[in-house]
Amino acid sequence: MSANLAAYTTSTGEAFQFWVLGTVAVLGALSTVLMRKAVHSALCLAGTMIVLAVFYLANGAYFLGIVQIVVYTGAIMMLFLFVVMLVGVTAADSLKETIKGQRWLAAACGLGFGILLAAGIGNASLKDFAGLGAANSAHGGNVQGLAALIFTKYVFAFEITGALLITAAVGAMVLTHRERTERARTQRELSEQRVREGKHVPPLPAPGVYARHNAVDIAGLLPDGTPAELTVMQTLRKRGQIRDVSNEALSDLKALEQRSAERLGREEEASR
């Protein structure tokens, strides 16, 4: 009787762990959806998976906890991160809706998944698990039973999943590999090409000119205070990693003009 009560009661430590880690998992899941950069979303998703692995370990499901860390967090998420960083996914790509209605479809799928998840949790909390003890004792334990199923009954599905992951890794390397098929042009050849095309004959202007800062992510300013697009490389521009200091420079320029006008006015009055 006491064993049954212990199985259905929650201690203070378990409740504290659930609410703390559950909050972290929910925040990580929301950050995965709301983050503007794909790399940050992937890192938040990896944190959520690690929290789920801690839940598995705390409930005694050691095999699921280790698989959650090794397979999902350690393999799939790292592969996703490498693909994102090597191929390059910008924040502007996520704003382009290539398929009409995909946002509403994703919201409907998320709502349906939430209903199924709530129904599954409610069903699990109201009913007892039948046959779990017999299944574990048949092979000498939970881990041994899972191993017997993976390498006997579901061995083909397991191997196909492994082949799929290997194919994804090879595809990532193929997408990021750029084989040079022609000889690299020298600086002289590049200069001659610029002269023949008549575009940007001198070198491009340096970043941060007249901007009180010479960082590569700060565009140089023209004499009127507007930013010059040629002073920042296209990679940073497409990623949205540019700091705009033109407003500050324009305000300083207006203040300087005002002070100059006041000084010139006083000098004219004094001369009179």
Side-chain angles (χ1 to χ4, degrees), residues 1-6:
M1 185 65 180
S2 60
N4 293 331
L5 291 177

Side-chain angles (χ1 to χ4, degrees), residues 142-194:
N142 182 263
V143 177
Q144 291 83 349
L146 289 174
L149 288 176
I150 289 176
F151 294 105
T152 56
K153 185 177 181 180
Y154 300 104
V155 62
F156 291 106
F158 185 75
E159 294 297 333
I160 291 174
T161 304
L164 179 62
L165 293 176
I166 295 175
T167 305
V170 174
M173 290 187 291
V174 170
L175 289 175
T176 56
H177 180 66
R178 296 292 184 270
E179 185 177 357
R180 185 178 295 275
T181 57
E182 57 184 11
R183 182 181 61 85
R185 290 178 293 180
T186 62
Q187 292 292 332
R188 181 181 180 86
E189 292 174 348
L190 293 175
S191 301
E192 293 176 353
Q193 181 182 1
R194 288 201 304 268

